[in-house]
Amino acid sequence: MDLKKRFTNAMNKNRLAHALLFLGDNQAQKEQTALDLASGLLCENKIIPFGCGHCVSCRQISKQQHPSIRILRTESEIRIDAIRDITSAPGNPSWVIPEAHLMNKQASNALLKTLEEPRNNQFFILIAPNTRSLLPTLVSRCQRIFFKSAPIQIENGSAPSIPENLSDRLELIERFSKDKSDLNQILIAWQHHASSEFKNALLKAQEDLKKHVNAQLILEALLLSKNA
Ligand SMILES: [Zn+2]
């Protein structure tokens, strides 16, 4: 399901999580989507999920001037003072944190407390390249949305190699579970350098994919048992 549909469904059912975590490499796209989603939440014409784009509210948000949508800009480590500014901001605005991975541990814990007691109509959109640099409890508190990076170029078997450590493998699984054609491409590409045993596993995975077995399960079966 694409993002737009996903957000539309969630908003129609009033089930958009109050804490969202946007992951992936494409920073500009993640930030733009955060603002678009904020527009959808506050649009005077109630156009979901991304707003009408021309009411006062939508225009203020696109200029990053809406009083109810604040953006925590930072260039270095995010410390607890910044989080205190968030929690004490008058009017309980929603926040976009474009560099959430720069939060130190204290700041993360302080934000976690805030996320555990969401106020009505207050949303937090955290943006980070991946989950590794974030406090795991914070990650588990958020609804994770993975943004695909630019279309994956797989030519002549130059697929991303299979990482050695577990957290990188989980990340790869997360990334390739989203799109079956990407997954199929990478399964083919890996066959170029595979041992005969792993090649059989890859062929089996391709068959499973054709039978509509869940992509994440396929990748987990393939990668979590494999020796590096
Ligand atoms: Zn609007």
Side-chain angles (χ1 to χ4, degrees):
M1 198 188 305
D2 73 18
L3 271 182
K4 200 170 172 181
K5 270 193 200 156
R6 208 170 145 184
F7 287 134
T8 306
N9 284 346
M11 287 163 97
N12 272 331
K13 292 177 185 155
N14 220 348
R15 274 202 200 139
L16 189 68
H18 282 258
L20 298 159
L21 173 58
F22 289 0
L23 298 163
D25 298 328
N26 194 334
Q27 184 69 11
Q29 194 201 0
K30 287 183 294 182
E31 286 192 30
Q32 186 58 52
T33 305
L35 291 178
D36 289 346
L37 194 62
S39 302
L41 289 166
L42 295 174
C43 175
E44 289 162 20
N45 293 316
K46 304 210 182 315
I47 302 295
I48 58 166
F50 295 147
C52 69
H54 49 75
C55 70
V56 172
S57 177
C58 284
R59 275 184 293 159
Q60 279 185 329
I61 291 171
S62 77
K63 283 188 249 162
Q64 306 186 17
Q65 289 170 353
H66 198 294
S68 299
I69 301 292
R70 308 275 297 272
I71 300 170
L72 183 70
R73 290 279 171 210
T74 174
E75 276 169 15
S76 52
E77 188 182 56
I78 301 175
R79 296 163 188 267
I80 191 158
D81 330 8
I83 305 302
R84 288 202 185 114
D85 288 346
I86 285 183
T87 50
S88 62
N92 302 327
S94 294
W95 285 85
V96 177
I97 307 180
E99 311 278 351
H101 52 289
L102 296 182
M103 271 187 290
N104 69 20
K105 200 171 172 188
Q106 249 191 327
S108 302
N109 277 315
L111 183 65
L112 182 63
K113 270 198 186 149
T114 309
L115 298 188
E116 280 166 349
E117 301 154 6
R119 298 185 179 96
N120 276 346
N121 301 322
Q122 189 180 33
F123 289 84
F124 288 88
I125 303 178
L126 280 56
I127 300 176
N130 55 57
T131 54
R132 262 173 300 167
S133 44
L134 295 165
L135 199 69
T137 41
L138 193 63
V139 173
S140 68
R141 201 67 225 175
C142 297
Q143 184 177 1
R144 277 167 282 175
I145 311 246
F146 199 85
F147 285 67
K148 272 209 305 182
S149 28
I152 304 156
Q153 300 290 331
I154 301 177
E155 287 165 25
N156 309 321
S158 61
S161 56
I162 298 169
E164 290 194 14
N165 72 59
L166 184 61
S167 64
D168 287 345
R169 284 191 187 188
L170 288 170
E171 191 121 352
L172 190 134
I173 290 170
E174 192 173 348
R175 177 172 170 199
F176 282 92
S177 300
K178 307 295 169 195
D179 186 304
K180 288 197 168 184
S181 69
D182 283 350
L183 176 55
N184 194 49
Q185 278 200 62
I186 199 174
L187 292 175
I188 294 168
W190 279 339
Q191 288 169 31
H192 292 272
H193 305 290
S195 66
S196 61
E197 188 192 359
F198 190 52
K199 194 166 179 172
N200 285 336
L202 288 165
L203 291 170
K204 162 97 171 46
Q206 272 191 291
E207 276 174 35
D208 287 343
L209 191 63
K210 274 186 206 149
K211 290 184 207 155
H212 306 289
V213 175
N214 178 291
Q216 189 176 343
L217 290 180
I218 293 175
L219 274 169
E220 284 175 0
L222 196 61
L223 295 185
L224 296 186
S225 57
K226 185 184 185 307
N227 294 322

